[in-house]
Amino acid sequence: MTYYIYILYSLSINRYYVGYSSNPWNRLDQHLNNSPDKYTGKVNDWQLLCVFEVSSIESEAIRLERFIKKQKSRKLIEQLCEPDFVPTGYLAQLVRVPHVRD
């Protein structure tokens, strides 16, 4: 099984959401149907902006997801969503899945 990091965006609240999953396309559907007491359930206009293949090891995907979230950097998330951006350093293992947005 392969694990991915994905980035969602909601225009109505102008927010990004970073997550990991073995199936980010199915996970998007779950976010769109979350109950309102969940963070992503508050709105229903989430768009899948980009997906990165991470690893076949779930803990690696969790580690990278937490790293991105701990940066608390909208700029980093926006850079990751740019088609020409090449992650370096700690994020160098991210491999963009090109057919999602590009």
Side-chain angles (χ1 to χ4, degrees):
M1 185 176 301
T2 302
Y3 291 93
Y4 302 87
I5 297 287
Y6 62 90
I7 299 175
L8 305 179
Y9 177 74
S10 167
L11 182 62
S12 65
I13 60 173
N14 191 25
R15 297 276 173 127
Y16 292 93
Y17 178 84
V18 177
Y20 87 93
S21 175
S22 62
N23 186 337
W25 302 273
N26 183 51
R27 191 71 184 104
L28 171 62
D29 290 337
Q30 292 172 349
H31 284 298
L32 291 171
N33 295 301
N34 262 347
S35 67
D37 60 330
K38 301 282 189 181
Y39 179 78
T40 58
K42 294 180 185 354
V43 297
N44 63 356
D45 67 339
W46 293 105
Q47 300 170 4
L48 188 61
L49 291 186
C50 56
V51 175
F52 296 92
E53 186 175 325
V54 177
S55 174
S56 60
I57 303 168
E58 185 175 16
S59 61
E60 281 292 304
I62 293 170
R63 184 178 58 80
L64 280 167
E65 176 204 29
R66 287 182 182 160
F67 175 81
I68 293 168
K69 286 180 173 182
K70 284 182 182 178
Q71 302 309 300
K72 297 189 183 295
S73 173
R74 183 180 182 102
K75 182 179 177 184
L76 171 63
I77 292 170
E78 289 173 346
Q79 284 178 330
L80 287 170
C81 292
E82 292 175 12
D84 298 331
F85 180 74
V86 177
T88 60
Y90 195 70
L91 298 174
Q93 76 183 80
L94 294 177
V95 176
R96 182 181 297 276
V97 178
H99 66 277
V100 172
R101 179 172 178 266
D102 303 347

